[in-house]
Amino acid sequence: MSSLTSVLSNTRRIDREQLRMLLSSSLQKLTIEVVDETGSTNADLIARLKAMDKPRLPIVRVAYRQTAGHGRHGRPWIAAPGNALLFSFACEILRSPAELAGLSLAVSTAVLAGLRALMPTDMHRLALKWPNDVLLDGAKLAGILIEMARSSHTSSSVVIGIGFNLEGEEALAAQLSAQANPPAALARVLPQVAMTDVLAHLLNALAAMLERFSEHGLAPFLQAWNDNHAYAGKKVLVLESGREILTGIATGVDAYGRLLIDTGNGIQTLASGDVSLRVHIL
């Protein structure tokens, strides 16, 4: 056992054998990698997929510490070892890159489904923030980052990175800037949940979602996303590089995963790009 792994509690370590037992039949050939530390699990898997002619997929890579983990816009993901589940899932989707519109939204619905299987009595406390955050009590519980590794006219190899707060939210909040979304941790509702159980539920939900997405795209997940839209019917600010560019009522997302904003002078659509979203406080 490595030095870092040895100091983590049993609930904050990945038990490979237990994980394998909890995985669905579609994931029995999953390659499972767990490391103490790396720069970025996304970067690790992308480099490997680009270097190999026929990589054996799917692969999940978990790190207890990431020194260069990041989310959208290159923002660093801050997490102490054992306080967060940090992993990347490399897989092949039988769609070209042009047919992956809305994948991050479909992934977020899968994360939500996996969590709700763990916490059925508190499921109402979870919501989705466009384009790729999962909220607990309105605060950020998890973030998603999807990156392309390789593609053809008929398939895409992607790496889905997920950072998930398990505990330590007060310490995390103290490290974040005042402009950042406040953090939440799963310990609010499941203080003793094992990291292995969380990972198994998320992977099973991801596998089921990816099978449907390969065949049907975003369409089967649109209703679930809109039903769990944290800002539905609320006035929001749309920011670009910290500058306000738009205000209006968030009404949902369209068939391409674009956010719909009712400005009062018509509906504006937003692709994820470099914009961010805030509730408008008068």
Side-chain angles (χ1 to χ4, degrees), residues 41-59 88-93 95-98 100 103 145-152 155-161:
T41 53
N42 261 36
D44 291 347
L45 292 182
I46 289 171
R48 190 183 314 169
L49 267 57
K50 287 183 175 180
M52 299 171 66
D53 287 336
K54 293 183 179 181
R56 185 173 178 268
L57 298 176
I59 305 168
S88 296
F89 184 72
C91 60
E92 183 179 30
I93 301 175
R95 286 181 162 255
S96 70
L100 296 183
L103 177 59
L145 178 66
I146 301 175
E147 298 181 277
M148 180 74 66
R150 56 196 300 169
S151 64
S152 70
S155 69
S156 303
S157 295
V158 302
V159 177
I160 301 169

Side-chain angles (χ1 to χ4, degrees), residues 246-251 259-270:
L246 186 67
T247 63
I249 304 299
T251 63
L259 185 67
L260 303 175
I261 303 288
D262 185 350
T263 66
N265 294 311
I267 300 294
Q268 293 279 339
T269 60
L270 294 173

Side-chain angles (χ1 to χ4, degrees), residues 1 12 30 45 61 79 85 101-102 105 145 155 165 190 222 227 246 248 260 265:
M1 185 179 293
R12 292 298 174 257
L30 175 70
L45 292 182
R61 184 170 175 83
L85 173 58
L105 277 68
L145 178 66
S155 69
N165 300 320
L190 294 172
L222 273 174
D227 286 347
L246 186 67
L260 303 175
N265 294 311

Side-chain angles (χ1 to χ4, degrees), residues 14 19-20 22-24 26-27 30-32 58-62 85 87-90 110-111 114 160 162 196-210:
I14 298 297
L19 177 61
R20 185 73 68 184
L22 293 171
L23 292 177
S24 63
S26 64
L27 288 174
L30 175 70
T31 298
I32 300 170
I59 305 168
V60 64
R61 184 170 175 83
V62 184
L85 173 58
F87 74 95
S88 296
F89 184 72
V111 172
I160 301 169
I162 295 179
T196 301
D197 290 340
V198 177
L199 180 58
H201 278 76
L202 295 180
L203 290 174
N204 286 337
L206 282 172
M209 178 278 298
L210 287 166

Side-chain angles (χ1 to χ4, degrees), residues 58-268:
I59 305 168
V60 64
R61 184 170 175 83
V62 184
Y64 296 120
R65 178 191 290 124
Q66 292 194 48
T67 59
H70 62 93
R72 287 195 315 136
H73 317 316
R75 297 188 185 100
W77 185 276
I78 301 171
N83 280 357
L85 173 58
L86 309 172
F87 74 95
S88 296
F89 184 72
C91 60
E92 183 179 30
I93 301 175
L94 300 180
R95 286 181 162 255
S96 70
E99 298 173 308
L100 296 183
L103 177 59
S104 66
L105 277 68
V107 170
S108 68
T109 66
V111 172
L112 202 67
L115 288 176
R116 285 180 167 167
L118 281 167
M119 45 184 287
T121 60
D122 291 288
M123 64 174 61
H124 62 283
R125 298 171 65 178
L126 296 167
L128 301 176
K129 178 188 173 187
W130 183 87
N132 56 3
D133 288 346
V134 180
L135 308 182
L136 173 62
D137 300 333
K140 184 171 179 176
L141 177 66
I144 299 161
L145 178 66
I146 301 175
E147 298 181 277
M148 180 74 66
R150 56 196 300 169
S151 64
S152 70
H153 293 301
T154 59
S155 69
S156 303
S157 295
V158 302
V159 177
I160 301 169
I162 295 179
F164 194 104
N165 300 320
L166 296 175
E167 58 186 358
E169 72 177 63
E170 290 184 3
L172 178 58
Q175 298 178 68
L176 297 174
S177 69
Q179 290 74 34
N181 292 333
L186 196 59
R188 288 189 185 188
V189 289
L190 294 172
Q192 301 301 321
V193 70
M195 187 181 288
T196 301
D197 290 340
V198 177
L199 180 58
H201 278 76
L202 295 180
L203 290 174
N204 286 337
L206 282 172
M209 178 278 298
L210 287 166
E211 183 176 351
R212 295 184 72 197
F213 190 93
S214 286
E215 185 172 356
H216 303 291
L218 179 61
F221 310 99
L222 273 174
Q223 189 64 53
W225 198 94
N226 281 314
D227 286 347
N228 292 284
H229 182 194
Y231 297 165
K234 295 181 180 179
K235 190 172 184 179
V236 296
L237 296 174
V238 181
L239 307 174
E240 185 174 32
S241 302
R243 181 176 59 89
E244 179 184 327
I245 62 171
L246 186 67
T247 63
I249 304 299
T251 63
V253 294
D254 68 10
Y256 300 97
R258 298 175 301 190
L259 185 67
L260 303 175
I261 303 288
D262 185 350
T263 66
N265 294 311
I267 300 294
Q268 293 279 339

Side-chain angles (χ1 to χ4, degrees), residues 1-8 13 35-36 64:
M1 185 179 293
S2 65
S3 58
L4 177 54
T5 306
S6 64
V7 301
L8 297 176
R13 296 199 300 263
V35 297
D36 276 3
Y64 296 120

